[in-house]
Amino acid sequence: MDKKLSEFKAGDEGDVKSVAGEGRIRRRLFDMGITPSAHIVMRKVAPLGDPIEVNVRGYELTLRKSEAECVVMTVNER
């Protein structure tokens, strides 16, 4: 099942299927290690939904919800 990273809840995890978005946003996500096949675990979501905190490649990363909408994930079932 595929869904956007912005739709994940705390504790969900999956692998990056693709990264969309315009040049600057896409490049920024790639620079932060969010590349196809990278494993991501959703750690926290702020009370108003923005920002979100994820674990990717062994480190904690905070993203804006608009950035997370560009990341299409394959969900790993728990």
Side-chain angles (χ1 to χ4, degrees), residues 8-70:
F8 273 35
K9 306 283 186 239
D12 289 350
E13 58 184 84
D15 298 316
V16 177
K17 183 174 183 181
S18 65
V19 180
E22 296 180 21
R24 293 181 90 180
I25 294 173
R26 183 180 167 97
R27 173 67 164 208
R28 184 169 186 264
L29 291 169
F30 279 166
D31 289 346
M32 291 187 287
I34 300 176
T35 57
S37 77
H39 185 75
I40 296 180
V41 178
M42 176 69 79
R43 288 289 179 217
K44 300 177 193 169
V45 179
L48 297 177
D50 193 26
I52 63 171
E53 184 178 307
V54 297
N55 185 308
V56 59
R57 299 187 188 276
Y59 66 93
E60 301 297 324
L61 178 66
T62 302
L63 296 171
R64 295 180 185 112
K65 194 169 186 178
S66 61
E67 295 168 335
E69 288 182 7
C70 297

